[in-house]
Amino acid sequence: MKSKFISIFLLSVLLGNGKLTAQHQSPDTKKMEWFQDAKLGIFIHWGIYSVDGISESWSFFNNYINHENYLKQLNGFSASQYKPAEWVSMIKNSGAKYSVITTRHHDGISLWNSKADKAITTSKDALAKADVLTPFVTELRKSGLKTGLYYSLPDWSHPYYDVNTRTKKRYEINDDPKRWDRYITYYQTQLNELSAQYKPDLLWFDGDWEHTSDEWKAPETLEKLRKYNSNIIINSRLNTHGDYETPEQGIPVVSPQSEYWELCYTMNDSWGYQPFDQHYKTPNMIVRTLADVISMGGNLLLDIGPKSDGTIPEKQIEILKNLGRWTSKNADAVYGTRRGLPFENYKGKSAISKDGKKLFLYLEEAKNFTEIYGLISNPVSAKIIGDPNGKVQIHQKNKILHLDFSNTNFDQDVTVVELSFNEKIKFNQNIQKDVLALSEILNVKDSKSAVYQISEQLHEGSTIFNNSGLTNDGLDMKIQKSNKTNPETLRWISKHTEALFETGKGLPDGHYSGNSVLSKDKQTLYLFVEGIPTGPIALKGIKNNISRIRIVGEGSMISHSIYNKLYWSDRPGIIYIDVPKERLDKNMTVIAVLLDKPIELYREKVGAIESNL
């Protein structure tokens, strides 16, 4: 599958990123263009659940609180400090090009003045006694941002819906089909209201897993929506009738196969406002997540959860402000980009411009150089975006593009290198990398380059240290030397021999944006860390538990944190490893991750969360 994907990707690059001339584009391609160009959207989960700061809808569905007490939150939903113009200004300043707001979650509370049969609304039933949706959409339209409306297909509060809680059903559809038809009329009426009043650019469905497409009457619903807007964009949660995939929470390890996709993602562990959930990702982590998603050709839909009075938590504002700092600085490398180079060509994150003539590299560390393999096209210029004094020197040798950085003010989160070409970028699908003998590597004058070559070759499974005289503890080595041997490289080898002696091929693409190797028993993962990372290094898709993590060659135990681990799911979270700057090796740091058993990798498709125990 991987080689097939690369072949398709390379073909699309050669054809100009898959974009044909306008007269040959399908209507779907045209309608999806703004979405594919946008890269960043802001999700808003706002509802009565923010009053007590509990899980939206799921808290009563799972019987953590009974339905009657859940609905009492209507009496506390005041929206007294709600300033939609300030919301929209903050969203626009973050660099987002669209926003998606919950019009009605599974709990059935509509944020607009719905006239549908037996609808519960903030206009008539909440303390606010106000339609809080209309002012926000009005401000979105004024700002020029695209409007997305979230709508839950289930309504666990509605008497016509069949499901009430995890342990309680109201009726069986086959036993009472007329009652179910009344529910279909109810939800389609609400969608008609939303379409007529707000003319959304995008509808974001949720909860489709509870019924089949036929039961939802999904084709009929879609036909009705298209009568209001023939170019309406629908997410993937209308039972196979959507325009794009919506992986949730876990950043994909393997890039989604769909041309259009969007990661919906929380800042902490909660969608709506929960005061006791302080497990926030740092602003650095969020910027790097955006770069990761862009490099795989997707969008990031980042969530905020306002309080019941309409104010936004300070930590969420801080994250949005830093996103705005980074997106405004690197706009050319964000908007209108397409997925980047395969991992075989570049050990890092990258993207290609829509016209195929620019390559953007996203550096998550301050370092002296980087390398790209298999480029057929030659860049005509290179620069550090946002740093006019930063210099990038280009060296091409043996099908390797070597980029040296000097006088560079590296960004606090992600530094972007822009390479420009006179033609659409072409690169080889099958890379034949030259394997240097250990004696050649030892003669390289620059120890950083020599060490990088060692990490690169070991990652690919090369056995350059077999029968070399390397010992398992780095002492009494019998490695053959010459008068050109770089003693600094030898010292690095001796210090890090644990990661070099009888280790095997590293992680496949997507798990770590760098080189790695595995111990012989596959229970210790060694990560080669270049330069000075801007934040904790990230590791995705590791199913194992972590026993301990340490710095190779000097014994320091270091900490890690796990984000987005859903305890009811086998999908692993993202492991962030803190590497103290004062312990970094000047040539390359190596981190040993001891696992509870031989490594198991998660490379499955990341989809919607259909349970929330």
Side-chain angles (χ1 to χ4, degrees):
M1 178 60 74
K2 179 172 142 186
S3 61
K4 179 181 177 184
F5 161 71
I6 293 173
S7 300
I8 294 171
F9 173 76
L10 291 170
L11 179 60
S12 73
V13 171
L14 294 173
L15 292 175
N17 285 332
K19 294 293 184 185
L20 305 179
T21 55
Q23 61 265 34
H24 295 296
Q25 289 182 19
S26 69
D28 282 350
T29 301
K30 290 179 182 178
K31 95 174 179 182
M32 295 302 294
E33 188 170 16
W34 76 258
F35 176 83
Q36 191 176 29
D37 288 349
K39 298 306 166 193
L40 178 62
I42 299 300
F43 214 175
I44 303 172
H45 275 69
W46 196 32
I48 67 168
Y49 38 85
S50 59
V51 173
D52 291 341
I54 57 179
S55 295
E56 61 288 337
S57 311
W58 293 97
S59 50
F60 78 80
F61 182 81
N62 290 321
N63 298 303
Y64 296 166
I65 180 175
N66 66 42
H67 187 245
E68 181 180 344
N69 285 330
Y70 181 92
L71 289 184
K72 285 180 181 177
Q73 292 177 104
L74 284 163
N75 301 323
F77 188 77
S78 69
S80 59
Q81 301 298 315
Y82 175 41
K83 298 175 181 177
E86 291 185 7
W87 280 22
V88 171
S89 176
M90 179 180 61
I91 290 167
K92 188 167 187 175
N93 289 339
S94 76
K97 298 299 183 183
Y98 64 107
S99 186
V100 179
I101 186 170
T102 50
T103 64
R104 177 176 69 67
H105 208 268
H106 315 322
D107 60 7
I109 315 301
S110 301
L111 299 190
W112 79 102
N113 188 22
S114 176
K115 304 298 184 184
D117 188 20
K118 302 187 186 301
I120 305 173
T121 72
T122 56
S123 300
K124 64 181 177 63
D125 300 301
L127 175 62
K129 291 290 185 286
D131 167 357
V132 295
L133 179 61
T134 300
F136 177 72
V137 174
T138 299
E139 293 297 332
L140 273 183
R141 291 295 184 202
K142 286 181 187 176
S143 74
L145 296 177
K146 296 290 187 180
T147 299
L149 302 181
Y150 167 107
Y151 184 81
S152 166
L153 290 164
D155 181 338
W156 292 331
S157 295
H158 203 280
Y160 297 157
Y161 194 64
D162 60 328
V163 176
N164 181 216
T165 70
R166 184 175 297 279
T167 57
K168 181 180 176 183
K169 277 180 70 74
R170 293 185 178 91
Y171 63 96
E172 297 294 335
I173 292 177
N174 290 337
D175 297 337
D176 200 346
K178 290 184 179 179
R179 190 174 179 184
W180 179 251
D181 286 342
R182 287 197 291 272
Y183 182 76
I184 298 298
T185 299
Y186 158 76
Y187 100 73
Q188 289 183 345
T189 297
Q190 288 204 318
L191 288 175
N192 289 342
E193 290 176 344
L194 293 171
S195 298
Q197 291 179 46
Y198 305 117
K199 299 176 175 56
D201 303 289
L202 182 152
L203 269 167
W204 212 101
F205 286 106
D206 200 10
D208 63 343
W209 59 81
E210 288 203 333
H211 291 287
T212 66
S213 176
D214 287 342
E215 288 171 336
W216 288 125
K217 296 189 177 177
E220 177 187 302
T221 297
L222 191 55
E223 184 179 351
K224 288 177 181 289
L225 293 173
R226 284 177 175 160
K227 286 180 180 178
Y228 290 99
N229 179 2
S230 60
N231 289 319
I232 188 73
I233 293 175
I234 305 292
N235 74 335
S236 59
R237 304 187 188 190
L238 189 60
N239 288 94
T240 72
H241 295 285
D243 296 304
Y244 67 94
E245 289 185 42
T246 54
E248 183 169 340
Q249 290 290 51
I251 305 172
V253 173
V254 179
S255 182
Q257 295 302 296
S258 171
E259 185 177 2
Y260 312 110
W261 65 275
E262 168 195 77
L263 170 67
C264 52
Y265 201 64
T266 57
M267 293 181 177
N268 52 5
D269 293 330
S270 308
W271 294 104
Y273 172 66
Q274 293 196 32
F276 306 117
D277 179 3
Q278 295 299 314
H279 195 220
Y280 279 91
K281 292 109 181 163
T282 65
N284 172 271
M285 292 175 186
I286 296 296
V287 168
R288 287 164 56 199
T289 296
L290 175 59
D292 199 359
V293 170
I294 290 172
S295 72
M296 291 189 281
N299 289 7
L300 175 63
L301 184 64
L302 184 67
D303 182 67
I304 60 174
K307 299 178 183 180
S308 59
D309 65 359
T311 57
I312 311 294
E314 282 300 319
K315 286 190 176 180
Q316 299 183 16
I317 294 173
E318 178 189 357
I319 287 170
L320 292 180
K321 284 182 176 178
N322 191 55
L323 266 176
R325 178 199 68 79
W326 188 81
T327 54
S328 62
K329 176 182 178 180
N330 299 288
D332 289 346
V334 176
Y335 310 110
T337 56
R338 300 296 181 257
R339 73 176 77 222
L341 299 174
F343 191 60
E344 290 78 3
N345 294 85
Y346 175 62
K347 296 291 193 308
K349 300 169 185 175
S350 64
I352 294 173
S353 61
K354 192 193 297 190
D355 67 3
K357 295 182 179 181
K358 288 186 178 180
L359 173 62
F360 303 103
L361 309 179
Y362 306 105
L363 308 182
E364 298 180 322
E365 62 284 302
K367 59 186 178 182
N368 295 76
F369 66 88
T370 195
E371 293 186 343
I372 303 172
Y373 298 88
L375 272 183
I376 298 172
S377 308
N378 293 316
V380 295
S381 67
K383 68 177 183 178
I384 305 291
I385 294 181
D387 182 11
N389 296 319
K391 303 298 180 185
V392 183
Q393 294 179 327
I394 303 173
H395 308 282
Q396 186 110 28
K397 184 179 179 181
N398 298 330
K399 302 176 185 177
I400 299 173
L401 186 71
H402 184 96
L403 305 175
D404 280 306
F405 311 123
S406 60
N407 300 319
T408 297
N409 292 315
F410 289 92
D411 189 86
Q412 67 190 48
D413 300 311
V414 175
T415 303
V416 183
V417 182
E418 177 187 301
L419 301 178
S420 296
F421 298 77
N422 283 333
E423 60 178 351
K424 291 180 180 177
I425 300 165
K426 301 181 182 68
F427 51 89
N428 283 322
Q429 175 181 355
N430 299 310
I431 304 166
Q432 300 297 324
K433 294 181 182 178
D434 294 330
V435 179
L436 298 179
L438 180 58
S439 58
E440 295 176 280
I441 295 174
L442 291 175
N443 291 344
V444 174
K445 291 182 180 180
D446 178 25
S447 57
K448 289 186 176 67
S449 295
V451 166
Y452 182 82
Q453 287 300 320
I454 290 171
S455 71
E456 182 76 7
Q457 293 203 36
L458 291 176
H459 176 91
E460 299 293 337
S462 175
T463 56
I464 56 173
F465 285 105
N466 280 14
N467 304 313
S468 67
L470 181 68
T471 56
N472 62 2
D473 61 3
L475 300 176
D476 301 318
M477 297 190 305
K478 300 295 190 292
I479 294 176
Q480 189 171 359
K481 292 175 278 190
S482 71
N483 58 358
K484 293 182 179 180
T485 297
N486 188 331
E488 183 68 22
T489 304
L490 269 181
R491 280 193 291 271
W492 185 89
I493 291 171
S494 177
K495 177 182 175 182
H496 298 92
T497 185
E498 174 195 346
L500 317 177
F501 187 80
E502 295 185 348
T503 50
K505 191 171 183 178
L507 295 171
D509 63 303
H511 296 280
Y512 173 62
S513 57
N515 289 311
S516 61
V517 290
L518 278 163
S519 61
K520 195 172 183 178
D521 63 4
K522 299 190 183 304
Q523 197 166 332
T524 301
L525 171 63
Y526 297 100
L527 306 175
F528 295 99
V529 181
E530 297 179 60
I532 304 173
T534 60
I537 59 175
L539 194 54
K540 297 188 295 182
I542 307 299
K543 291 183 178 181
N544 305 67
N545 293 319
I546 306 295
S547 297
R548 59 173 50 176
I549 303 177
R550 55 188 169 75
I551 301 176
V552 171
E554 51 107 291
S556 299
M557 300 295 173
I558 55 178
S559 63
H560 71 282
S561 302
I562 297 177
Y563 289 83
N564 298 97
K565 176 66 183 108
L566 309 175
Y567 66 87
W568 62 86
S569 168
D570 66 349
R571 185 192 307 167
I574 304 167
I575 302 163
Y576 284 101
I577 303 170
D578 294 303
V579 185
K581 288 187 178 180
E582 62 270 23
R583 296 299 177 93
L584 293 171
D585 187 277
K586 65 180 181 180
N587 289 301
M588 183 178 288
T589 308
V590 185
I591 303 299
V593 182
L594 178 62
L595 308 172
D596 60 339
K597 56 185 176 182
I599 194 166
E600 294 182 11
L601 300 178
Y602 184 97
R603 297 183 66 80
E604 291 88 337
K605 179 180 177 181
V606 177
I609 293 174
E610 301 181 4
S611 178
N612 194 343
L613 285 170

